[in-house]
Amino acid sequence: MKSAEAPDGAVVALEEADAALEAEAASRLSIDDLLPGSVSPEQAPRAEASGAPGRAPAAGTRTARVLGVAGRSATIVLRGATAPLEAELAEEVDPEVIADAQANGDSVLVECCDGEAPLVVAALATRKPRELRLRAATIHIEGDEEVLLRSGHGAVRIRQDGEVEVIGSRISAASRGLFRIVGRILRLN
């Protein structure tokens, strides 16, 4: 029996007070009781660690590092995990973009769903590139007023009025075929 001594020397029985509090707590509804189809924490499935081999990652969107790309699949390591996983590439994702992410050390965005293999949906640029490579069948660069290409002391400027300016300490031009220069006025020195 729990008891405490009051300042006037009388003993107060706390057992009755404890029993009353427990009965009141048992009669209260929790938010889980009010929501249809809710699962108590004891009934909820435990999240599996994604770092353990053979276990599926928890559902959600995660970032990952790419270890390799082969066709439409990639070997990845989810952030916070140590074990590699096989992931599929989303239909709209170009495998070369994911291979570039691997080469540059960039992360990828991965969707994880219960019962399915992880799905790579994007490559993430996390820093400014030291080098930029463009390779396509056709590349268009347009400027409403001007296009300027510059490196060090050399530059090429194309203006909207059609003026083209090439500046450099040494400029050379060569042709394996006909080299034709046409203009209303040509000035050499």
Side-chain angles (χ1 to χ4, degrees):
M1 178 170 157
K2 296 179 187 174
S3 62
E5 216 171 284
D8 61 1
V11 176
V12 179
L14 296 178
E15 190 172 279
E16 292 172 9
D18 285 345
L21 287 174
E22 288 175 12
E24 183 182 326
S27 67
R28 285 189 217 153
L29 290 175
S30 73
I31 190 131
D32 289 331
D33 296 331
L34 298 173
L35 296 173
S38 63
V39 178
S40 70
E42 295 81 27
Q43 296 170 332
R46 304 244 184 250
E48 297 176 348
S50 59
R55 292 199 176 163
T61 304
R62 309 265 307 266
T63 59
R65 189 170 34 94
V66 180
L67 300 179
V69 179
R72 303 248 0 121
S73 65
T75 304
I76 61 169
V77 174
L78 294 172
R79 183 177 182 137
T82 56
L85 296 169
E86 287 300 314
E88 297 300 316
L89 302 185
E91 186 178 314
E92 64 275 8
V93 175
D94 187 338
E96 289 183 27
V97 171
I98 305 305
D100 287 347
Q102 177 190 4
N104 295 333
D106 291 334
S107 295
V108 293
L109 191 62
V110 180
E111 289 180 354
C112 300
C113 296
D114 291 333
E116 295 181 22
L119 185 66
V120 177
V121 295
L124 303 173
T126 56
R127 61 186 164 274
K128 287 176 66 172
R130 292 190 47 113
E131 179 180 329
L132 182 62
R133 293 178 185 229
L134 295 175
R135 184 178 184 154
T138 304
I139 297 174
H140 294 271
I141 300 174
E142 293 186 27
D144 289 337
E145 308 249 339
E146 174 177 292
V147 174
L148 175 66
L149 301 175
R150 180 185 5 218
S151 177
H153 297 290
V156 176
R157 177 178 302 186
I158 305 170
R159 296 190 179 164
Q160 76 178 46
D161 62 2
E163 183 180 325
V164 178
E165 185 179 7
V166 179
I167 299 172
S169 56
R170 181 170 179 241
I171 299 172
S172 62
S175 172
R176 289 196 169 88
L178 174 66
F179 188 161
R180 187 170 149 190
I181 299 175
V182 177
R184 286 184 22 204
I185 300 174
L186 294 178
R187 185 181 350 168
L188 300 174
N189 287 340

